[in-house]
Amino acid sequence: MGAHEILDDRGRRRREFLRVGVLGVGASLLAPALLRSTARAAAVDALLLSCMDYRLIAETERYMSGRGLRHKYDHVILAGGALGALTEKYPAWNQTFWEHLDVAIQLHQVHKVIVLDHRDCGAYQVILGEDFAKDRAKETTVHAGQLRDLGKRIVAQYPSLEVELLLMSLDGKVEKVS
């Protein structure tokens, strides 16, 4: 994808409107600066942290849209969601999450962090060495522990942020973790 191309809602490439629009070809030089200033001014409602599991990409989007948050959240994806942001096994992931959160606060004035883990998570098995999906109660306990730990750390670092902790089933149903 070129420097001034964006994807439309169907994933098709389009030229960024300033480049070929009313301002003409010279606008392509202005477009990056205009996009940066627009991004700084834009506010979104939340930052969503979720897992990379391909099985739940559409369900996650449906869930967020169903809450009225379509195009109103930043999205960070780490294997394992909350666990990915906490694990010492992959310390760069921790750093990535916190840096993304800092940037989301600076650029988009996020006021909420939504952490969405999911059941039958392969990253939990890889990182923690156990298949928790075999025991639903244990799986719930383990996810809830990771979610609460990350939630506490977020609030400790950013006391003004609201934190919402969620666990999604493979059928897309979401339960709140308190």
Side-chain angles (χ1 to χ4, degrees), residues 82-127:
L83 178 62
L86 295 170
T87 183
E88 293 177 14
K89 187 170 185 174
Y90 302 105
W93 296 5
N94 308 161
Q95 183 177 348
T96 296
F97 170 72
W98 292 106
E99 288 174 352
H100 273 75
L101 181 54
D102 287 339
V103 170
I105 291 167
Q106 291 174 39
L107 288 180
H108 301 146
Q109 298 81 47
V110 299
H111 58 273
K112 177 189 274 191
V113 177
I114 301 169
V115 186
L116 178 64
D117 272 13
H118 70 88
R119 294 189 179 280
D120 193 27
C121 182
Y124 271 70
Q125 186 173 356
V126 168
I127 294 169

